[in-house]
Amino acid sequence: MRQFDKSQELFARATKLIPGGVNSPVRAFRSVGLSPLYIDHGVGGHVFDVDGNEYIDYISSWGPLLLGHAYPPVQQAIAEELKRGTSYGACNAREIEMAELITSFFPSIEMVRMVNSGTEATMSAVRLARGFTGRNKIIKFEGCYHGHADSFLIQAGSGLATYGQAGSAGITPETAVDTLVATYNDLESVRHLLERYPNEVAAVILEPVMGNMGLILPEEGFLSSLRALTQERGVLLIFDEVISGFRAARGGAQELYGITPDLTCLGKIIGGGLPVGAFGGRRDIMQHLAPLGDVYQAGTLSGNPLALSAGIAMLRELSREGFYEQLEEQGRLFESLIRPVIDRYSEHLSFNRSGSLATLFFRPGGVHSNAEAKQANTEQYARFFRRMLQEGIYLPPSQFECIFLSMAHSREDYERTAQAMILALEEALGH
Ligand SMILES: *Cc1c(COP(=O)(O)O)cnc(C)c1O
């Protein structure tokens, strides 16, 4: 049995000073009934905890580490930049380099502004959409996550209420009424809201590929119909590509599915493991931002040269010819090695994968919607997670988070994972 003594000691100290011991709730491991691991360091596709245990890491910092931990070109870029300084609160050339890279990969992004997190990106994009259209309401989809700004922590209302209810304490009813909640992969749910609130909706925001209820893919025609419908009604379409950007394809899910949104939010990968976010899109919309226009948005550390140097080094690696073919190959290899194990338990499981993102759902029959995802057996997942951790496989500590593959994973990692799954599924499913 792996021992977690030092992690447990640290967690005991942390809980005295940090609410729940963590700075982001999922890290607390509550839904898998454990106390969290404290990570000491990472190398390639592996992490090591403070007790000296090694794991194959399938979290990849929730997406950014597409090239693995401590990737040398990213480390070197940070080290070089660090020699010059860390922050000036003034213009620096890295900002332009980053803007050039982002706009070259995303044709829909004509202008871009850098921020420090995905939350800031979505929050600012929505403010801009409201300022641009002069309308107050937004539509989001149940199960999509857009960070923790008030407008997004809203869930579908019950019964006849079509407006949202706060999904967290501390959000005013006045905020909640401006967020309408639709059903992913259900165009009619959006049309219904647009008809009920004509000329009131500023924007529809969604993860084009849903990555925050586990992985759920858009059904054929859903995104293109949504694009047509929003265009027809003068409603802006905002793609939150904080996960799918630079992962679904170099140009995100919008490239993969051939859709042009009005605004796009980016995060995670573009920081190469440091805190960076960005939002951008149509020039005529972006020009409404201060100091050009009347939508205020700012940040002391925005465009931070150290963080951008990491992101730029990362994006340069991704621009390599053939990179995304290799990434898809990683995904295919992973799937081909674990598929026979999953198939043995197909009466209990569904598996979704797109490129380097995947989710094993403890629910049979396929998962195509938020409602189906919610039917997953989270107790079985928790048992599965705990055994996998003992076998040295570090999965997301929640059924509703994606597995993030990286280029640093090897065939041997995947083979070890498949072996461990045989034991863990046997235990989780009580055969
Ligand atoms: C992680 C995430 C965010 C929030 O990003 P933070 O950097 O955690 O603020 C927003 N949207 C999506 C789709 C995400 O996955």
Side-chain angles (χ1 to χ4, degrees):
M1 287 287 278
R2 287 171 179 242
Q3 299 300 315
F4 306 114
D5 299 354
K6 287 187 184 157
S7 276
Q8 280 163 359
E9 248 173 71
L10 289 174
F11 188 54
R13 272 170 65 197
T15 50
K16 293 191 187 119
L17 300 171
I18 306 172
V22 294
N23 286 312
S24 198
V26 71
R27 295 178 201 168
F29 277 32
R30 289 200 166 205
S31 60
V32 290
L34 290 179
S35 64
L37 292 183
Y38 278 75
I39 302 300
D40 183 73
H41 66 284
V43 181
H46 293 210
V47 288
F48 297 77
D49 69 15
V50 290
D51 288 286
N53 300 304
E54 179 174 0
Y55 305 88
I56 301 170
D57 174 26
Y58 285 111
I59 297 185
S60 304
S61 186
W62 301 107
L65 302 181
L66 193 53
L67 304 167
H69 293 271
Y71 187 70
V74 174
Q75 305 279 87
Q76 281 154 21
I78 297 172
E80 280 305 309
E81 194 67 40
L82 186 59
K83 288 182 200 153
R84 283 193 280 273
T86 53
S87 177
Y88 314 107
C91 297
N92 70 84
R94 295 276 172 270
E95 299 171 284
I96 309 162
E97 268 178 80
M98 182 54 112
E100 285 169 350
L101 280 167
I102 291 174
T103 53
S104 72
F105 295 152
F106 284 77
S108 77
I109 303 183
E110 295 171 334
M111 297 187 105
V112 61
R113 183 160 279 179
M114 304 309 302
V115 292
N116 305 293
S117 68
T119 295
E120 271 190 70
T122 55
M123 179 185 80
S124 307
V126 161
R127 183 184 309 133
L128 176 60
R130 287 179 166 141
F132 178 76
T133 59
R135 299 171 175 184
N136 289 339
K137 294 193 188 299
I138 59 165
I139 295 177
K140 77 173 286 275
F141 292 84
E142 197 172 14
C144 281
Y145 177 72
H146 304 294
H148 65 94
D150 287 4
S151 317
F152 301 120
L153 297 181
I154 306 291
Q155 56 200 12
S158 56
L160 289 177
T162 50
Y163 53 82
Q165 294 176 343
S168 159
I171 292 167
T172 64
E174 290 75 13
T175 297
V177 294
D178 280 335
T179 300
L180 309 172
V181 183
T183 307
Y184 187 78
N185 273 336
D186 177 358
L187 188 73
E188 286 314 306
S189 71
V190 181
R191 194 192 305 279
H192 169 74
L193 290 171
L194 291 176
E195 271 158 21
R196 175 139 183 186
Y197 299 98
N199 304 316
E200 287 187 66
V201 178
V204 171
I205 184 168
L206 80 163
E207 296 177 76
V209 170
M210 237 170 111
N212 281 287
M213 268 309 282
L215 180 70
I216 301 176
L217 299 175
E219 271 163 20
E220 176 101 36
F222 173 62
L223 296 174
S224 56
S225 313
L226 188 61
R227 176 64 286 190
L229 179 64
T230 47
Q231 207 141 31
E232 197 180 285
R233 309 290 170 104
V235 174
L236 299 186
L237 182 62
I238 306 176
F239 271 12
D240 178 352
E241 299 230 40
V242 168
I243 284 181
S244 54
F246 301 101
R247 199 176 265 275
R250 191 176 289 123
Q254 53 194 271
E255 177 186 317
L256 191 63
Y257 293 96
I259 311 290
T260 307
D262 300 299
L263 294 173
T264 298
C265 301
L266 298 170
K268 299 194 168 113
I269 287 180
I270 58 168
L274 271 69
V276 180
F279 66 103
R282 272 165 49 190
R283 185 178 300 275
D284 62 320
I285 302 173
M286 292 300 288
Q287 283 176 334
H288 281 250
L289 284 175
L292 290 181
D294 55 6
V295 177
Y296 191 71
Q297 192 281 329
T300 301
L301 292 174
S302 293
N304 175 264
L306 196 63
L308 292 193
S309 70
I312 290 165
M314 179 90 183
L315 298 192
R316 291 239 165 85
E317 294 292 310
L318 310 191
S319 0
R320 206 161 37 70
E321 186 67 31
F323 179 85
Y324 283 85
E325 286 74 14
Q326 280 174 295
L327 189 63
E328 174 59 28
E329 199 38 55
Q330 282 288 87
R332 249 188 247 132
L333 179 64
F334 176 69
E335 179 165 354
S336 71
L337 289 169
I338 66 166
R339 181 57 82 180
V341 185
I342 297 170
D343 284 348
R344 274 204 232 171
Y345 296 95
S346 58
E347 76 274 27
H348 299 282
L349 302 172
S350 304
F351 181 71
N352 286 352
R353 179 183 74 84
S354 172
S356 58
L357 296 169
T359 301
L360 180 64
F361 286 101
F362 283 72
R363 177 204 189 269
V367 172
H368 315 95
S369 68
N370 185 55
E372 286 174 349
K374 282 205 298 211
Q375 290 165 356
N377 187 322
T378 53
E379 275 167 34
Q380 287 174 352
Y381 183 82
R383 285 203 291 273
F384 174 70
F385 173 91
R386 291 195 295 263
R387 180 61 192 261
M388 289 297 275
L389 199 68
Q390 278 297 337
E391 298 296 324
I393 317 289
Y394 182 37
L395 295 171
S398 157
Q399 165 73 90
F400 304 112
E401 303 281 359
C402 287
I403 284 172
F404 292 90
L405 303 180
S406 89
M407 291 294 276
H409 290 129
S410 65
R411 182 184 186 95
E412 197 207 331
D413 289 338
Y414 296 156
E415 284 168 351
R416 266 182 58 201
T417 305
Q419 280 301 315
M421 280 175 67
I422 296 172
L423 304 171
L425 285 173
E426 194 64 29
E427 199 161 300
L429 301 169
H431 275 238

